Amino acid sequence: MCGMTTISTLGSHCALQVLKGAKDEGFDTLLVCEKKRERLYRRFSFIDDLVLVDSFKEILEPKTRSRLKERQAVIIPHGTLISQMDSSQIESLDVPIFGNKWILRWESDRNMKEKLMVESSLHIPRSLASPSDIVGLVIAKRHGAAGGKGYFLATSKSDYEEKRDKLIVQGIIKGDADLYLQEYAFGVSAYLQYFYSPLDDKLEFFGVDRRYESDIDGLGRIPSKEQIGIDKIPSFNVVGNSPLVLRESLLDEVYSMGERFVEAARRLVSPGMNGPFCLEGVYDENAKFTTFEFSSRIVAGTNLYVEGSPYSAFLYNEPMSMGRRIAREIKNAEKEGRLQQVVT
Ligand SMILES: Nc1ncnc2c1ncn2[C@@H]1O[C@H](COP(=O)(O)OP(=O)(O)O)[C@@H](O)[C@H]1O
Ligand SMILES: [Mg+2]
């Protein structure tokens, strides 16, 4: 057992990887688990305890919080935390959260997100202030970590309005305010996974994945003749991830983009981009990267590399998943009496 800290997370997204990594580093583990998933998570011996809830929102209730505090839990935030709670609810949690909980608001709000990417001098797609500005191909995206559900492509204002109205009828959005319009970036998608440690001021590039998003990634199987006859609006709902390695000549720029992001976050959102994050974008025909968004916490694409990735293998002589790297950081911080520096 490491110190008295228990590593805890919500039962979804990358919980298995996170708690397996915590156990490998010698921590006690605790899962906040919805009752409907109890049977699934009981299968894994590295999960020491479950706190059963009807909904993840119960984490905000005094009863759940005191159970977590009793165990000296540190919560590892992931996409489910962000999609199930709004930013002020997350910020109000008095259980320590690994990394910087204040930056999660910058992830959820697409306008703040854009500001941080601009501050990082990343090459980003143009955003559109109004549907009347649509020329060429644009993507309409929802705020928060909606996971691509209800996102759509449009080529004109009327095309946009027709699709928007369908989503309103389906109850997925309320109106224009729920959508952020961004130029579509052409190329090959890549999701760059990083870890930044404030303990030794070091950035590690951990891996890269691609996402399989339904329906958009299934369209290639349908010949154009049939595609034209289909009325369905394809969405970008992520279903899974597959691995990728980059041309080695791209790595230097991968590191500088990550470093610029860390520096910008330090300026705008104290205490900065501590822990795992991801820059998401596409490489164009000149292998130039356009970042269409970021995640300021662990991404599910790291689930590919439970035994380490082609990049973590260059940094560690042992299998190092992102989940394990997080636990290692907490362990190192505890050893040096600096736990407060890696949580908020
Ligand atoms: N500007 C863009 N150009 C091309 N594809 C995009 C763009 N923005 C988003 N996408 C696609 O939509 C998906 C979801 O968008 P993203 O901004 O990552 O939102 P989320 O927060 O839901 O992950 C991406 O994984 C990618 O496939
Ligand atoms: Mg994304």
Side-chain angles (χ1 to χ4, degrees):
M1 197 171 71
C2 276
M4 294 302 287
T5 299
T6 299
I7 293 193
S8 177
T9 197
L10 304 186
S12 192
H13 195 268
C14 56
L16 292 173
Q17 184 208 156
V18 164
L19 297 189
K20 170 70 164 64
K23 187 48 76 183
D24 288 344
E25 290 297 300
F27 284 94
D28 276 350
T29 60
L30 183 152
L31 187 75
V32 179
C33 181
E34 289 174 321
K35 286 172 187 153
K36 63 179 186 199
R37 299 231 176 115
E38 179 181 358
R39 262 169 58 81
L40 168 69
Y41 285 107
R42 290 245 186 247
R43 295 174 191 272
F44 306 101
S45 61
F46 53 84
I47 303 178
D48 296 321
D49 277 305
L50 300 188
V51 170
L52 292 174
V53 293
D54 288 307
S55 121
F56 287 129
K57 279 226 155 101
E58 280 175 45
I59 204 171
L60 299 164
E61 291 172 13
K63 198 179 85 191
T64 320
R65 282 188 286 137
S66 59
R67 283 196 66 186
L68 291 167
K69 281 195 263 181
E70 258 163 42
R71 300 290 306 277
Q72 298 192 26
V74 169
I75 297 175
I76 313 303
H78 55 52
T80 305
L81 185 76
I82 293 175
S83 65
Q84 305 268 317
M85 266 160 250
D86 61 43
S87 303
S88 33
Q89 288 173 322
I90 297 173
E91 289 162 2
S92 77
L93 272 173
D94 54 1
V95 181
I97 294 184
F98 182 74
N100 180 359
K101 68 178 173 187
W102 308 104
I103 203 169
L104 300 175
R105 179 183 287 277
W106 291 70
E107 167 176 343
S108 292
D109 179 314
R110 294 226 180 246
N111 299 311
M112 290 172 86
K113 174 173 267 179
E114 184 180 322
K115 186 173 172 200
L116 186 49
M117 292 196 292
V118 169
E119 179 78 13
S120 309
S121 308
L122 294 169
H123 185 254
I124 62 174
R126 200 167 60 89
S127 63
L128 289 76
S130 141
S132 322
D133 299 341
I134 297 178
V135 273
L137 188 60
V138 303
I139 181 167
K141 308 196 275 191
R142 292 162 62 203
H143 293 277
K149 208 169 184 174
Y151 299 9
F152 61 88
L153 301 175
T155 50
S156 68
K157 182 167 183 257
S158 59
D159 181 26
Y160 163 85
E161 284 169 346
E162 195 183 305
K163 291 168 178 167
R164 175 203 61 195
D165 292 346
K166 275 193 187 166
L167 290 177
I168 294 176
V169 170
Q170 289 168 25
I172 295 177
I173 57 163
K174 291 206 183 72
D176 287 335
D178 292 334
L179 294 172
Y180 170 86
L181 291 172
Q182 194 178 49
E183 249 174 16
Y184 190 84
F186 290 91
V188 167
S189 62
Y191 299 75
L192 312 172
Q193 307 159 5
Y194 302 85
F195 186 94
Y196 172 72
S197 168
L199 297 176
D200 50 7
D201 183 25
K202 211 165 126 202
L203 179 71
E204 297 164 337
F205 177 55
F206 246 80
V208 49
D209 71 287
R210 300 199 67 193
R211 306 221 171 136
Y212 275 106
E213 297 170 327
S214 194
D215 322 286
I216 200 76
D217 286 319
L219 284 182
R221 292 166 58 101
I222 303 170
S224 60
K225 216 169 111 217
E226 282 74 17
Q227 277 188 21
I228 286 167
I230 299 170
D231 185 34
K232 190 176 187 328
I233 305 171
S235 77
F236 290 75
N237 196 12
V238 61
V239 174
N241 306 75
S242 62
L244 185 72
V245 285
L246 297 174
R247 290 172 64 172
E248 195 156 311
S249 56
L250 300 175
L251 277 189
D252 195 36
E253 178 58 13
V254 165
Y255 268 99
S256 13
M257 289 189 296
E259 275 161 2
R260 294 204 302 273
F261 188 73
V262 166
E263 282 155 23
R266 193 179 285 137
R267 289 192 294 272
L268 292 188
V269 209
S270 174
M273 185 60 265
N274 300 339
F277 66 97
C278 181
L279 298 181
E280 313 184 352
V282 298
Y283 281 102
D284 71 9
E285 76 271 29
N286 299 314
K288 186 174 164 52
F289 194 70
T290 298
T291 310
F292 53 70
E293 79 141 350
F294 66 81
S295 296
S296 51
R297 35 77 197 175
I298 184 170
V299 288
T302 59
N303 288 342
L304 284 164
Y305 308 120
V306 184
E307 291 293 320
S309 79
Y311 297 97
S312 71
F314 297 135
L315 302 169
Y316 293 92
N317 285 318
E318 58 192 320
M320 187 57 70
S321 69
M322 190 63 93
R324 187 170 185 181
R325 180 65 186 85
I326 291 169
R328 179 71 57 93
E329 184 81 348
I330 295 172
K331 194 156 104 178
N332 291 342
E334 277 187 333
K335 255 190 251 159
E336 300 170 20
R338 298 165 77 191
L339 187 60
Q340 290 315 314
Q341 238 181 297
V342 301
V343 300
T344 41

